[in-house]
Amino acid sequence: MSTGPDNWTKSSWKKFTALQQPNWPDQDAVDKVLTDLSTLPPLVFAGEIRSLKELLAKAVTGDAFLLQGGDCSENFSHVTAPNIRETLKVLLQMAVVLTYAGGKPVVKVGRIAGQFAKPRSADMETIDGIELPSYRGDMVNCAEFTPESRVPNPKYMLKGYNMAASTLNLLRAFTRGGFGSLQRVQAWNQEFVAGSPLGRSYDRLGKQISQAIRFMETIGISADTPQINQTQLFTSHEALLLQYEEAMTRQDHITGDWYDCSAHMLWIGERTRQLDGAHVEFLRGVHNPLGLKIGPNYDLDDVKRLVEKLNPHNEAGRLTIITRLGMKNVEKVLPPLLREMKREGQNIVWNCDPMHANTYTAKTGHKTRNFNDILSEITCFFETHWSEGTIPGGIHLEMTGNNVTECTGGAHNINDEQLSSNYLTSCDPRLNAEQSLEVAFQIADMIRS
Ligand code: PEP
Ligand code: CO
Protein backbone atom coordinates (compact mmCIF):
# COMPACT_ATOMS: atom_id res chain seq x y z
CA MET A 1 0.00 0.00 0.00
CA SER A 2 1.37 3.41 -0.89
CA THR A 3 1.26 5.83 1.99
CA GLY A 4 2.60 9.12 0.74
CA PRO A 5 5.82 10.65 -0.54
CA ASP A 6 9.11 10.39 1.39
CA ASN A 7 8.90 11.30 5.06
CA TRP A 8 5.37 12.62 4.64
CA THR A 9 2.58 12.05 7.11
CA LYS A 10 -0.58 14.06 7.54
CA SER A 11 1.12 15.68 10.55
CA SER A 12 4.59 16.25 9.08
CA TRP A 13 3.71 19.89 8.31
CA LYS A 14 4.04 20.56 12.05
CA LYS A 15 7.83 20.44 11.75
CA PHE A 16 7.72 23.44 9.38
CA THR A 17 6.76 27.06 9.80
CA ALA A 18 3.02 27.57 9.29
CA LEU A 19 2.13 31.17 8.46
CA GLN A 20 -1.36 32.66 8.86
CA GLN A 21 -2.51 30.33 11.67
CA PRO A 22 -4.78 31.59 14.46
CA ASN A 23 -3.47 32.08 17.99
CA TRP A 24 -6.00 29.83 19.71
CA PRO A 25 -6.29 30.78 23.38
CA ASP A 26 -7.17 27.29 24.65
CA GLN A 27 -5.19 24.34 23.26
CA ASP A 28 -7.33 21.67 24.97
CA ALA A 29 -10.45 23.03 23.27
CA VAL A 30 -8.65 22.91 19.91
CA ASP A 31 -7.59 19.30 20.44
CA LYS A 32 -11.13 18.26 21.30
CA VAL A 33 -12.51 19.83 18.10
CA LEU A 34 -9.79 18.21 16.00
CA THR A 35 -10.57 14.79 17.47
CA ASP A 36 -14.24 15.27 16.64
CA LEU A 37 -13.46 16.41 13.10
CA SER A 38 -11.19 13.48 12.45
CA THR A 39 -13.95 10.98 13.25
CA LEU A 40 -16.75 12.73 11.35
CA PRO A 41 -17.57 11.51 7.82
CA PRO A 42 -15.49 13.00 4.99
CA LEU A 43 -17.23 15.77 3.01
CA VAL A 44 -16.16 14.38 -0.35
CA PHE A 45 -14.81 10.98 -1.25
CA ALA A 46 -11.65 9.89 -3.03
CA GLY A 47 -13.44 8.61 -6.14
CA GLU A 48 -14.89 12.05 -6.82
CA ILE A 49 -11.50 13.68 -6.27
CA ARG A 50 -9.96 11.29 -8.80
CA SER A 51 -12.67 12.13 -11.37
CA LEU A 52 -11.92 15.83 -10.97
CA LYS A 53 -8.24 15.13 -11.53
CA GLU A 54 -9.04 13.27 -14.73
CA LEU A 55 -11.14 16.16 -15.97
CA LEU A 56 -8.43 18.65 -15.10
CA ALA A 57 -5.92 16.54 -17.04
CA LYS A 58 -8.03 17.38 -20.08
CA ALA A 59 -7.71 21.10 -19.33
CA VAL A 60 -3.91 20.70 -19.54
CA THR A 61 -4.19 19.75 -23.20
CA GLY A 62 -7.02 22.12 -24.08
CA ASP A 63 -9.67 19.38 -24.19
CA ALA A 64 -11.62 20.92 -21.30
CA PHE A 65 -11.85 24.34 -19.65
CA LEU A 66 -11.87 25.02 -15.92
CA LEU A 67 -14.39 27.46 -14.47
CA GLN A 68 -13.60 28.12 -10.80
CA GLY A 69 -15.56 30.71 -8.86
CA GLY A 70 -17.41 31.79 -5.78
CA ASP A 71 -17.08 34.02 -2.74
CA CYS A 72 -13.77 35.45 -1.60
CA SER A 73 -14.82 34.38 1.86
CA GLU A 74 -17.99 32.47 2.66
CA ASN A 75 -19.89 33.61 5.75
CA PHE A 76 -21.89 31.34 8.04
CA SER A 77 -24.80 33.80 8.03
CA HIS A 78 -24.94 33.67 4.22
CA VAL A 79 -25.24 29.88 4.04
CA THR A 80 -28.87 29.89 2.89
CA ALA A 81 -30.74 28.06 0.13
CA PRO A 82 -31.23 31.20 -2.03
CA ASN A 83 -27.54 32.15 -1.84
CA ILE A 84 -26.34 28.65 -2.70
CA ARG A 85 -28.89 28.38 -5.50
CA GLU A 86 -28.00 31.74 -7.05
CA THR A 87 -24.26 31.07 -7.04
CA LEU A 88 -24.81 27.67 -8.61
CA LYS A 89 -27.19 29.16 -11.15
CA VAL A 90 -24.73 31.73 -12.43
CA LEU A 91 -21.88 29.20 -12.58
CA LEU A 92 -24.08 26.89 -14.65
CA GLN A 93 -25.12 29.73 -16.94
CA MET A 94 -21.51 30.72 -17.53
CA ALA A 95 -20.58 27.10 -18.14
CA VAL A 96 -23.20 26.70 -20.89
CA VAL A 97 -21.94 29.80 -22.70
CA LEU A 98 -18.32 28.71 -22.41
CA THR A 99 -19.04 25.11 -23.41
CA TYR A 100 -20.81 26.22 -26.56
CA ALA A 101 -18.22 28.83 -27.50
CA GLY A 102 -15.19 26.72 -26.71
CA GLY A 103 -16.60 23.46 -28.06
CA LYS A 104 -15.25 21.58 -25.04
CA PRO A 105 -16.52 20.48 -21.64
CA VAL A 106 -16.36 23.00 -18.83
CA VAL A 107 -15.22 21.66 -15.47
CA LYS A 108 -17.11 23.55 -12.77
CA VAL A 109 -15.39 24.08 -9.43
CA GLY A 110 -16.92 26.35 -6.78
CA ARG A 111 -15.08 28.41 -4.20
CA ILE A 112 -17.78 27.02 -1.98
CA ALA A 113 -18.59 24.64 0.88
CA GLY A 114 -15.44 25.37 2.86
CA GLN A 115 -13.98 28.77 1.88
CA PHE A 116 -14.17 29.99 5.47
CA ALA A 117 -10.58 30.92 6.38
CA LYS A 118 -8.68 33.95 5.12
CA PRO A 119 -5.02 34.98 5.07
CA ARG A 120 -4.46 38.56 6.28
CA SER A 121 -1.75 41.08 5.56
CA ALA A 122 -1.34 41.83 9.29
CA ASP A 123 -2.00 39.89 12.51
CA MET A 124 -3.58 42.93 14.14
CA GLU A 125 -6.05 45.56 12.92
CA THR A 126 -6.21 49.09 14.32
CA ILE A 127 -9.30 51.29 14.13
CA ASP A 128 -9.47 54.66 15.93
CA GLY A 129 -6.47 53.76 18.05
CA ILE A 130 -7.91 50.40 19.17
CA GLU A 131 -5.88 47.35 18.21
CA LEU A 132 -7.52 43.91 17.88
CA PRO A 133 -6.60 40.61 16.22
CA SER A 134 -7.49 40.62 12.51
CA TYR A 135 -10.59 38.82 11.29
CA ARG A 136 -9.41 35.51 9.78
CA GLY A 137 -12.65 34.12 8.39
CA ASP A 138 -15.76 32.64 10.01
CA MET A 139 -13.98 29.39 10.77
CA VAL A 140 -11.65 31.29 13.14
CA ASN A 141 -13.29 34.42 14.61
CA CYS A 142 -16.03 36.99 13.93
CA ALA A 143 -15.75 40.05 11.71
CA GLU A 144 -17.32 42.45 14.22
CA PHE A 145 -14.69 44.83 15.64
CA THR A 146 -15.00 44.00 19.35
CA PRO A 147 -12.46 42.25 21.59
CA GLU A 148 -14.84 39.31 22.25
CA SER A 149 -15.66 38.75 18.57
CA ARG A 150 -12.05 38.68 17.50
CA VAL A 151 -10.98 35.93 19.91
CA PRO A 152 -10.34 32.79 17.81
CA ASN A 153 -12.82 30.05 18.76
CA PRO A 154 -12.00 26.46 17.68
CA LYS A 155 -15.70 25.51 17.76
CA TYR A 156 -16.02 27.56 14.57
CA MET A 157 -13.99 24.88 12.77
CA LEU A 158 -16.70 22.38 13.66
CA LYS A 159 -19.35 24.84 12.58
CA GLY A 160 -17.44 25.32 9.30
CA TYR A 161 -17.54 21.57 8.72
CA ASN A 162 -21.30 21.53 9.33
CA MET A 163 -21.90 24.53 7.08
CA ALA A 164 -19.83 22.91 4.34
CA ALA A 165 -21.82 19.67 4.74
CA SER A 166 -25.18 21.40 4.42
CA THR A 167 -24.00 23.47 1.45
CA LEU A 168 -22.75 20.35 -0.31
CA ASN A 169 -25.96 18.53 0.45
CA LEU A 170 -28.01 21.16 -1.33
CA LEU A 171 -25.56 21.44 -4.21
CA ARG A 172 -25.73 17.69 -4.76
CA ALA A 173 -29.54 17.82 -4.72
CA PHE A 174 -29.66 20.72 -7.18
CA THR A 175 -27.11 19.28 -9.60
CA ARG A 176 -28.63 15.78 -9.63
CA GLY A 177 -32.29 16.73 -9.43
CA GLY A 178 -32.93 18.61 -12.69
CA PHE A 179 -32.44 22.17 -11.37
CA GLY A 180 -29.44 22.58 -13.66
CA SER A 181 -30.96 21.04 -16.80
CA LEU A 182 -29.58 22.52 -19.99
CA GLN A 183 -32.96 23.90 -21.08
CA ARG A 184 -33.51 25.75 -17.80
CA VAL A 185 -30.02 27.16 -17.73
CA GLN A 186 -30.33 28.39 -21.29
CA ALA A 187 -33.73 29.97 -20.50
CA TRP A 188 -31.99 31.94 -17.72
CA ASN A 189 -29.33 33.00 -20.20
CA GLN A 190 -32.00 34.30 -22.56
CA GLU A 191 -33.50 36.30 -19.70
CA PHE A 192 -30.08 37.77 -18.99
CA VAL A 193 -29.54 38.71 -22.64
CA ALA A 194 -32.99 40.32 -22.81
CA GLY A 195 -32.34 42.37 -19.67
CA SER A 196 -28.78 43.51 -20.36
CA PRO A 197 -28.09 46.97 -21.78
CA LEU A 198 -25.53 45.19 -23.97
CA GLY A 199 -28.16 42.56 -24.86
CA ARG A 200 -27.73 43.00 -28.55
CA SER A 201 -24.10 42.05 -28.54
CA TYR A 202 -24.93 38.84 -26.66
CA ASP A 203 -28.09 38.07 -28.61
CA ARG A 204 -26.54 36.15 -31.46
CA LEU A 205 -24.64 33.73 -29.27
CA GLY A 206 -27.70 33.27 -27.02
CA LYS A 207 -29.84 32.36 -30.04
CA GLN A 208 -27.24 29.97 -31.41
CA ILE A 209 -27.11 28.05 -28.13
CA SER A 210 -30.91 27.78 -28.06
CA GLN A 211 -30.89 26.51 -31.62
CA ALA A 212 -28.30 23.88 -30.75
CA ILE A 213 -30.47 22.66 -27.88
CA ARG A 214 -33.56 22.54 -30.12
CA PHE A 215 -31.59 20.56 -32.67
CA MET A 216 -30.65 17.99 -30.04
CA GLU A 217 -34.27 17.70 -28.99
CA THR A 218 -35.37 17.30 -32.60
CA ILE A 219 -33.06 14.38 -33.20
CA GLY A 220 -34.41 12.71 -30.09
CA ILE A 221 -31.93 13.54 -27.31
CA SER A 222 -34.58 13.97 -24.68
CA ALA A 223 -34.56 16.43 -21.82
CA ASP A 224 -34.33 13.68 -19.23
CA THR A 225 -31.04 12.15 -20.37
CA PRO A 226 -28.45 12.61 -17.59
CA GLN A 227 -26.09 14.61 -19.85
CA ILE A 228 -28.86 17.18 -20.32
CA ASN A 229 -30.62 16.96 -17.00
CA GLN A 230 -27.76 16.56 -14.54
CA THR A 231 -24.53 18.34 -13.92
CA GLN A 232 -21.64 18.30 -11.47
CA LEU A 233 -20.09 21.00 -9.35
CA PHE A 234 -16.85 20.24 -7.53
CA THR A 235 -15.77 22.15 -4.43
CA SER A 236 -12.56 23.98 -3.57
CA HIS A 237 -11.08 26.35 -1.02
CA GLU A 238 -7.73 27.70 0.11
CA ALA A 239 -6.09 25.10 2.34
CA LEU A 240 -5.11 27.60 4.99
CA LEU A 241 -6.01 26.22 8.41
CA LEU A 242 -3.73 23.24 8.51
CA GLN A 243 -5.15 21.72 11.68
CA TYR A 244 -8.59 21.56 10.06
CA GLU A 245 -7.21 20.18 6.80
CA GLU A 246 -5.20 17.52 8.63
CA ALA A 247 -8.27 16.45 10.60
CA MET A 248 -10.21 16.03 7.33
CA THR A 249 -7.46 13.94 5.72
CA ARG A 250 -8.22 10.22 5.23
CA GLN A 251 -6.50 7.23 3.69
CA ASP A 252 -8.39 5.81 0.75
CA HIS A 253 -9.20 2.13 1.25
CA ILE A 254 -8.88 1.30 -2.44
CA THR A 255 -5.52 2.87 -3.27
CA GLY A 256 -3.98 3.47 0.15
CA ASP A 257 -3.38 7.08 -0.88
CA TRP A 258 -4.14 10.06 1.35
CA TYR A 259 -6.83 12.57 0.40
CA ASP A 260 -7.85 15.79 2.07
CA CYS A 261 -11.60 15.14 2.10
CA SER A 262 -12.63 18.69 3.05
CA ALA A 263 -12.98 19.54 -0.67
CA HIS A 264 -12.22 18.12 -4.09
CA MET A 265 -9.57 20.70 -4.94
CA LEU A 266 -7.40 22.76 -2.59
CA TRP A 267 -5.18 25.67 -3.36
CA ILE A 268 -2.14 27.28 -1.76
CA GLY A 269 -2.41 31.04 -1.45
CA GLU A 270 0.14 33.62 -2.53
CA ARG A 271 1.03 34.30 1.12
CA THR A 272 1.62 30.69 2.21
CA ARG A 273 3.47 29.11 -0.70
CA GLN A 274 6.97 29.12 0.85
CA LEU A 275 9.00 26.20 -0.46
CA ASP A 276 10.04 25.21 3.05
CA GLY A 277 6.73 26.16 4.66
CA ALA A 278 4.10 23.99 6.33
CA HIS A 279 1.41 24.49 3.66
CA VAL A 280 3.57 23.12 0.87
CA GLU A 281 4.66 20.25 3.12
CA PHE A 282 1.08 19.28 3.92
CA LEU A 283 -0.27 19.55 0.39
CA ARG A 284 2.56 17.67 -1.31
CA GLY A 285 1.34 14.50 0.40
CA VAL A 286 -2.39 14.53 -0.32
CA HIS A 287 -3.55 13.29 -3.72
CA ASN A 288 -6.14 15.99 -4.46
CA PRO A 289 -5.79 18.29 -7.43
CA LEU A 290 -3.91 21.36 -6.19
CA GLY A 291 -4.00 25.01 -7.11
CA LEU A 292 -0.97 27.24 -6.66
CA LYS A 293 -1.47 31.00 -6.67
CA ILE A 294 1.30 32.99 -8.33
CA GLY A 295 1.52 36.77 -8.04
CA PRO A 296 3.47 39.28 -10.17
CA ASN A 297 6.61 39.24 -7.99
CA TYR A 298 7.27 35.51 -8.26
CA ASP A 299 10.79 34.17 -8.46
CA LEU A 300 11.09 31.74 -11.36
CA ASP A 301 13.42 29.32 -9.57
CA ASP A 302 11.07 29.28 -6.66
CA VAL A 303 8.11 28.37 -8.87
CA LYS A 304 10.14 25.64 -10.57
CA ARG A 305 10.98 24.09 -7.22
CA LEU A 306 7.38 24.36 -6.04
CA VAL A 307 6.14 22.60 -9.16
CA GLU A 308 8.73 19.86 -8.70
CA LYS A 309 7.79 19.41 -5.06
CA LEU A 310 4.02 19.46 -5.53
CA ASN A 311 3.95 17.37 -8.68
CA PRO A 312 7.16 15.32 -8.80
CA HIS A 313 5.75 12.78 -11.28
CA ASN A 314 4.37 15.47 -13.58
CA GLU A 315 0.91 13.96 -13.29
CA ALA A 316 -1.58 15.79 -15.54
CA GLY A 317 -4.48 17.27 -13.57
CA ARG A 318 -2.56 17.36 -10.30
CA LEU A 319 -1.39 20.96 -10.57
CA THR A 320 -3.23 24.10 -11.59
CA ILE A 321 -1.23 27.31 -11.54
CA ILE A 322 -3.54 30.20 -10.80
CA THR A 323 -1.84 33.35 -12.05
CA ARG A 324 -3.04 36.59 -10.41
CA LEU A 325 -0.71 39.09 -11.94
CA GLY A 326 -2.61 42.34 -12.48
CA MET A 327 -3.68 43.60 -15.88
CA LYS A 328 -0.64 45.87 -16.15
CA ASN A 329 1.82 43.04 -15.47
CA VAL A 330 0.55 40.06 -17.44
CA GLU A 331 2.26 40.91 -20.69
CA LYS A 332 5.61 41.28 -18.98
CA VAL A 333 5.60 38.58 -16.29
CA LEU A 334 3.51 35.75 -17.73
CA PRO A 335 5.68 34.83 -20.77
CA PRO A 336 8.84 33.85 -18.82
CA LEU A 337 6.78 31.56 -16.59
CA LEU A 338 5.01 29.92 -19.53
CA ARG A 339 8.24 29.48 -21.47
CA GLU A 340 10.06 27.82 -18.60
CA MET A 341 7.24 25.43 -17.79
CA LYS A 342 6.86 24.56 -21.46
CA ARG A 343 10.60 23.99 -21.78
CA GLU A 344 10.47 21.63 -18.80
CA GLY A 345 7.46 19.82 -20.27
CA GLN A 346 5.40 20.40 -17.13
CA ASN A 347 1.76 19.37 -17.27
CA ILE A 348 -0.08 22.36 -15.88
CA VAL A 349 -3.60 23.72 -15.99
CA TRP A 350 -3.12 27.46 -16.51
CA ASN A 351 -5.88 29.28 -14.70
CA CYS A 352 -6.35 33.06 -14.76
CA ASP A 353 -7.40 34.86 -11.56
CA PRO A 354 -8.04 38.39 -12.84
CA MET A 355 -9.25 39.57 -9.43
CA HIS A 356 -6.51 39.58 -6.81
CA ALA A 357 -3.98 41.90 -8.38
CA ASN A 358 -6.53 44.40 -9.67
CA THR A 359 -7.91 45.56 -6.32
CA TYR A 360 -7.95 49.26 -5.41
CA THR A 361 -9.68 51.55 -2.93
CA ALA A 362 -12.51 53.66 -4.35
CA LYS A 363 -13.02 57.33 -3.42
CA THR A 364 -15.71 56.14 -1.01
CA GLY A 365 -13.21 53.95 0.84
CA HIS A 366 -14.58 50.66 -0.54
CA LYS A 367 -12.15 47.97 -1.62
CA THR A 368 -13.13 47.37 -5.25
CA ARG A 369 -12.11 46.13 -8.69
CA ASN A 370 -13.06 47.48 -12.07
CA PHE A 371 -14.80 45.26 -14.62
CA ASN A 372 -12.62 46.50 -17.50
CA ASP A 373 -9.41 45.77 -15.58
CA ILE A 374 -10.65 42.25 -14.92
CA LEU A 375 -11.48 41.80 -18.57
CA SER A 376 -8.10 43.20 -19.64
CA GLU A 377 -6.25 40.70 -17.48
CA ILE A 378 -8.32 37.87 -18.95
CA THR A 379 -7.80 39.06 -22.53
CA CYS A 380 -4.08 39.48 -22.03
CA PHE A 381 -3.89 36.03 -20.40
CA PHE A 382 -5.50 34.37 -23.43
CA GLU A 383 -3.44 36.33 -25.94
CA THR A 384 -0.19 35.60 -24.15
CA HIS A 385 -0.94 31.87 -24.10
CA TRP A 386 -1.84 31.90 -27.76
CA SER A 387 1.36 33.67 -28.71
CA GLU A 388 3.51 31.42 -26.50
CA GLY A 389 1.88 28.23 -27.80
CA THR A 390 0.60 27.23 -24.37
CA ILE A 391 -2.98 26.51 -23.32
CA PRO A 392 -5.21 28.95 -21.43
CA GLY A 393 -6.97 26.35 -19.30
CA GLY A 394 -9.39 28.20 -17.08
CA ILE A 395 -10.58 31.21 -15.14
CA HIS A 396 -10.86 31.77 -11.42
CA LEU A 397 -13.30 34.44 -10.26
CA GLU A 398 -14.61 35.95 -7.07
CA MET A 399 -18.29 36.15 -7.82
CA THR A 400 -21.77 35.71 -6.45
CA GLY A 401 -25.22 35.06 -7.85
CA ASN A 402 -26.59 38.04 -5.97
CA ASN A 403 -27.08 41.55 -7.19
CA VAL A 404 -24.25 43.08 -5.16
CA THR A 405 -22.42 46.32 -5.95
CA GLU A 406 -18.82 45.48 -5.09
CA CYS A 407 -16.95 45.78 -8.41
CA THR A 408 -17.28 48.89 -10.56
CA GLY A 409 -18.18 48.92 -14.27
CA GLY A 410 -19.98 46.31 -16.35
CA ALA A 411 -23.00 46.83 -18.56
CA HIS A 412 -24.83 48.74 -15.83
CA ASN A 413 -21.69 50.75 -15.24
CA ILE A 414 -21.63 50.70 -11.44
CA ASN A 415 -19.70 53.78 -10.27
CA ASP A 416 -17.87 54.52 -7.01
CA GLU A 417 -20.90 56.23 -5.46
CA GLN A 418 -23.12 53.21 -6.10
CA LEU A 419 -20.78 50.77 -4.37
CA SER A 420 -22.36 51.33 -0.96
CA SER A 421 -25.89 50.42 -2.13
CA ASN A 422 -25.35 46.66 -1.82
CA TYR A 423 -21.78 46.05 -0.69
CA LEU A 424 -21.98 42.77 1.26
CA THR A 425 -18.60 41.05 1.09
CA SER A 426 -16.65 40.55 4.29
CA CYS A 427 -13.41 40.31 2.34
CA ASP A 428 -12.72 40.99 -1.35
CA PRO A 429 -15.19 42.50 -3.85
CA ARG A 430 -17.05 40.02 -6.04
CA LEU A 431 -18.54 40.25 -9.52
CA ASN A 432 -22.33 40.16 -9.32
CA ALA A 433 -24.44 37.76 -11.39
CA GLU A 434 -24.69 40.07 -14.40
CA GLN A 435 -21.04 41.02 -14.38
CA SER A 436 -20.08 37.34 -14.13
CA LEU A 437 -22.24 36.44 -17.12
CA GLU A 438 -20.78 39.31 -19.07
CA VAL A 439 -17.33 37.91 -18.43
CA ALA A 440 -18.50 34.57 -19.81
CA PHE A 441 -20.01 36.16 -22.94
CA GLN A 442 -16.88 38.25 -23.51
CA ILE A 443 -14.60 35.23 -23.20
CA ALA A 444 -16.95 33.37 -25.53
CA ASP A 445 -16.55 36.13 -28.11
CA MET A 446 -12.81 36.05 -27.75
CA ILE A 447 -12.40 32.30 -28.12
CA ARG A 448 -14.73 32.11 -31.10
CA SER A 449 -13.13 34.89 -33.11
C1 PEP B 1 -8.06 34.56 -2.43
O1 PEP B 1 -8.13 33.78 -3.37
O2 PEP B 1 -9.07 35.01 -1.82
C2 PEP B 1 -6.72 35.06 -2.01
C3 PEP B 1 -6.48 35.49 -0.79
O3 PEP B 1 -5.86 35.02 -3.03
P1 PEP B 1 -4.27 35.20 -3.09
O4 PEP B 1 -3.68 34.13 -2.23
O5 PEP B 1 -4.00 34.97 -4.55
O6 PEP B 1 -3.97 36.59 -2.64
CO1 CO C 1 -10.07 37.11 -2.28
Side-chain angles (χ1 to χ4, degrees):
M1 252 198 178
S2 82
T3 46
D6 287 353
N7 303 322
W8 183 91
T9 70
K10 66 190 170 88
S11 314
S12 54
W13 63 269
K14 289 182 180 151
K15 292 187 251 146
F16 299 79
T17 304
L19 299 183
Q20 300 282 346
Q21 304 305 293
N23 295 314
W24 305 111
D26 176 355
Q27 197 49 48
D28 288 346
V30 176
D31 292 342
K32 163 128 199 7
V33 166
L34 296 177
T35 306
D36 287 353
L37 281 171
S38 62
T39 49
L40 281 161
L43 291 169
V44 300
F45 75 94
E48 294 175 306
I49 298 175
R50 282 192 285 271
S51 332
L52 173 60
K53 208 188 259 179
E54 282 165 23
L55 291 168
L56 289 172
K58 297 194 163 111
V60 172
T61 50
D63 297 308
F65 188 77
L66 167 63
L67 169 62
Q68 188 175 21
D71 290 327
C72 175
S73 169
E74 289 179 276
N75 295 123
F76 292 162
S77 61
H78 295 175
V79 177
T80 64
N83 285 337
I84 296 165
R85 186 190 62 221
E86 293 306 303
T87 298
L88 174 65
K89 185 174 157 185
V90 68
L91 280 169
L92 297 180
Q93 287 179 263
M94 294 170 78
V96 166
V97 173
L98 293 170
T99 305
Y100 181 82
K104 58 182 84 160
V106 170
V107 187
K108 297 171 284 288
V109 180
R111 288 176 63 116
I112 199 165
Q115 176 58 14
F116 293 118
K118 294 308 298 174
R120 303 317 304 236
S121 41
D123 269 348
M124 303 299 282
E125 183 180 355
T126 307
I127 299 181
D128 295 336
I130 299 171
E131 191 183 55
L132 294 177
S134 296
Y135 167 62
R136 291 188 169 275
D138 278 9
M139 210 143 86
V140 175
N141 57 3
C142 301
E144 206 191 349
F145 195 74
T146 65
E148 307 75 49
S149 301
R150 291 292 173 92
V151 177
N153 183 343
K155 288 205 174 120
Y156 295 156
M157 285 195 278
L158 211 45
K159 190 160 178 191
Y161 166 88
N162 285 313
M163 289 288 173
S166 51
T167 303
L168 249 170
N169 185 49
L170 194 61
L171 286 172
R172 290 188 197 277
F174 278 146
T175 49
R176 295 284 131 190
F179 170 82
S181 81
L182 192 54
Q183 281 83 352
R184 284 184 65 153
V185 175
Q186 179 54 15
W188 295 327
N189 276 341
Q190 293 296 57
E191 271 171 41
F192 160 75
V193 170
S196 169
L198 292 181
R200 236 194 273 153
S201 58
Y202 303 139
D203 193 45
R204 213 162 128 240
L205 180 58
K207 284 210 175 93
Q208 286 170 345
I209 301 174
S210 295
Q211 273 165 7
I213 295 174
R214 273 199 300 279
F215 173 74
M216 287 193 299
E217 288 166 347
T218 312
I219 61 169
I221 300 173
S222 81
D224 48 20
T225 46
Q227 287 87 340
I228 307 282
N229 197 32
Q230 298 190 357
T231 180
Q232 192 166 19
L233 179 78
F234 295 95
T235 61
S236 69
H237 61 257
E238 177 172 351
L240 186 72
L241 273 191
L242 291 175
Q243 291 166 312
Y244 175 81
E245 302 302 340
E246 177 188 339
M248 293 306 298
T249 297
R250 311 288 148 86
Q251 192 169 23
D252 176 38
H253 290 295
I254 300 171
T255 58
D257 290 335
W258 291 89
Y259 288 89
D260 181 345
C261 296
S262 69
H264 300 107
M265 177 176 180
L266 297 153
W267 77 82
I268 313 182
E270 167 76 349
R271 292 168 191 77
T272 50
R273 60 171 175 78
Q274 298 72 27
L275 197 57
D276 56 356
H279 291 82
V280 170
E281 172 61 18
F282 173 72
L283 285 159
R284 80 182 173 98
V286 295
H287 282 66
N288 305 59
L290 301 179
L292 175 65
K293 291 276 204 124
I294 300 290
N297 302 320
Y298 71 84
D299 173 274
L300 192 53
D301 274 340
D302 214 34
V303 179
K304 280 163 67 173
R305 287 198 206 107
L306 282 167
V307 169
E308 175 61 28
K309 196 157 182 179
L310 294 169
N311 192 15
H313 305 298
N314 199 14
E315 183 191 4
R318 159 72 165 174
L319 189 62
T320 295
I321 290 189
I322 308 168
T323 54
R324 26 89 83 223
L325 304 172
M327 54 112 181
K328 293 201 187 84
N329 306 317
V330 182
E331 213 181 329
K332 179 155 170 271
V333 303
L334 185 56
L337 183 58
L338 300 183
R339 279 176 210 157
E340 190 57 23
M341 292 298 133
K342 186 175 169 189
R343 201 187 60 77
E344 291 198 336
Q346 294 291 355
N347 289 316
I348 287 164
V349 179
W350 292 104
N351 193 6
C352 171
D353 167 356
M355 314 298 293
H356 283 90
N358 292 312
T359 315
Y360 68 95
T361 306
K363 290 196 288 276
T364 51
H366 294 89
K367 197 175 174 188
T368 190
R369 292 157 175 160
N370 178 265
F371 183 83
N372 288 337
D373 294 348
I374 292 168
L375 213 56
S376 304
E377 176 148 359
I378 298 174
T379 308
C380 201
F381 171 86
F382 273 87
E383 285 172 352
T384 307
H385 276 281
W386 289 332
S387 65
E388 293 297 327
T390 46
I391 309 262
I395 50 163
H396 180 116
L397 300 173
E398 289 188 336
M399 48 170 279
T400 166
N402 291 328
N403 191 18
V404 299
T405 52
E406 298 171 2
C407 291
T408 56
H412 280 102
N413 206 7
I414 296 174
N415 61 33
D416 281 13
E417 283 68 38
Q418 290 163 322
L419 286 172
S420 60
S421 66
N422 202 22
Y423 192 95
L424 303 179
T425 184
S426 62
C427 199
D428 291 338
R430 302 160 294 176
L431 294 168
N432 63 26
E434 283 194 343
Q435 291 169 326
S436 306
L437 277 163
E438 282 180 60
V439 166
F441 273 90
Q442 299 274 356
I443 295 178
D445 249 5
M446 194 165 51
I447 54 185
R448 275 152 47 94
S449 60

